Amino acid sequence: NAGVTQTPKFRILKIGQSMTLQCTQDMNHNYMYWYRQDPGMGLKLIYYSVGAGITDKGEVPNGYNVSRSTTEDFPLRLELAAPSQTSVYFCASSPSYEQYFGPGTRLTVT
Amino acid sequence: AQSVTQLDSQVPVFEEAPVELRCNYSSSVSVYLFWYVQYPNQGLQLLLKYLSGSTLVKGINGFEAEFNKSQTSFHLRKPSVHISDTAEYFCAVTDNYGQNFVFGPGTRLSVLP
């Protein structure tokens, strides 16, 4: 039982490039989330999903897109990367209230 | 809209001393409250949660928290800390099943020998 896995662990992007951050959970949770964590700012919700085929925007969705074709996977797409997207990205899943987090992806845009 | 305030950004404490990390929230409806811990270069791990019932909640690693509705607080306490408790602690709130989680900015607990 791996829990929530994220790939890659680290990535450096040039301004304007695109990439997909992968997130997979094996706990059959309906709810999944994407957060970004900036120093001293806590976690900000980017997007969330309440089940396969259903997604909704969180607090800071601009510059990102998501899809949820299966219960297990919830990829986050960055289009036209900008320096402001330099951050640590966490994926989480939840059966109800408590969330289970992945180890994070550290992204640098230069 | 909900918000979470963690009044102390950093808390240094000596080993075996007690500690309290403060959390206040604002919400116009009933809330569900959580404390998470983040060790360096890791994801967040749930310490404890308040959903309903007893206002004193016990969690893992000897931590406990008390929900105080009149003061809109959910402070985290431990009677005797260890070096291994050094980490970042986040308070979080939601008022809606599975949606709209709001995290505080975090408190960095440093346990000194």
Side-chain angles (χ1 to χ4, degrees):
Chain A
N1 192 338
V4 179
T5 57
Q6 293 182 240
T7 57
K9 286 186 169 49
F10 305 94
R11 184 72 186 269
I12 299 174
L13 280 182
K14 294 188 187 303
I15 294 171
Q17 287 185 321
S18 300
M19 77 164 294
T20 299
L21 281 65
Q22 301 292 345
C23 175
T24 300
Q25 54 99 1
D26 61 1
M27 297 174 282
N28 201 33
H29 291 166
N30 284 329
Y31 299 91
M32 294 188 76
Y33 311 81
W34 274 106
Y35 293 92
R36 58 177 288 170
Q37 183 180 32
D38 301 314
M41 300 294 289
L43 277 76
K44 300 291 186 184
L45 182 63
I46 305 172
Y47 271 96
Y48 66 95
S49 170
V50 300
I54 306 170
T55 62
D56 208 346
K57 296 178 180 178
E59 183 181 356
V60 290
N62 291 343
Y64 307 95
N65 278 301
V66 294
S67 60
R68 183 101 182 266
S69 57
T70 66
T71 299
E72 295 78 19
D73 300 306
F74 191 41
L76 177 72
R77 178 81 178 164
L78 278 72
E79 304 283 0
L80 299 175
S84 61
Q85 293 178 305
T86 293
S87 189
V88 181
Y89 291 84
F90 288 101
C91 178
S93 71
S94 173
S96 57
Y97 294 104
E98 59 267 34
Q99 299 187 359
Y100 297 81
F101 284 81
T105 294
R106 187 174 295 274
L107 176 67
T108 301
V109 182
T110 62
Chain B
Q2 302 165 101
S3 67
V4 176
T5 303
Q6 292 183 243
L7 297 170
D8 306 298
S9 60
Q10 296 187 56
V11 174
V13 63
F14 286 107
E15 193 174 16
E16 297 183 7
V19 71
E20 178 180 83
L21 306 183
R22 296 179 290 172
C23 173
N24 288 87
Y25 68 92
S26 67
S27 176
S28 58
V29 297
S30 297
V31 295
Y32 308 101
L33 294 153
F34 308 82
W35 275 99
Y36 286 85
V37 60
Q38 185 181 31
Y39 299 103
N41 299 315
Q42 294 187 26
L44 279 69
Q45 177 184 0
L46 181 67
L47 267 181
L48 48 78
K49 63 189 177 193
Y50 172 78
L51 303 181
S52 64
S54 173
T55 56
L56 183 62
V57 179
K58 294 189 183 298
I60 62 171
N61 301 341
F63 284 93
E64 63 181 32
E66 186 156 19
F67 171 55
N68 187 320
K69 188 174 182 179
S70 63
Q71 297 187 5
T72 60
S73 68
F74 190 55
H75 301 333
L76 182 70
R77 302 186 183 99
K78 186 169 183 178
S80 176
V81 295
H82 302 291
I83 296 286
S84 59
D85 292 323
T86 294
E88 189 99 20
Y89 292 80
F90 293 93
C91 182
V93 61
T94 183
D95 63 358
N96 194 351
Y97 188 92
Q99 302 174 31
N100 197 28
F101 280 87
V102 176
F103 283 79
T107 296
R108 182 172 298 277
L109 174 65
S110 298
V111 181
L112 310 170

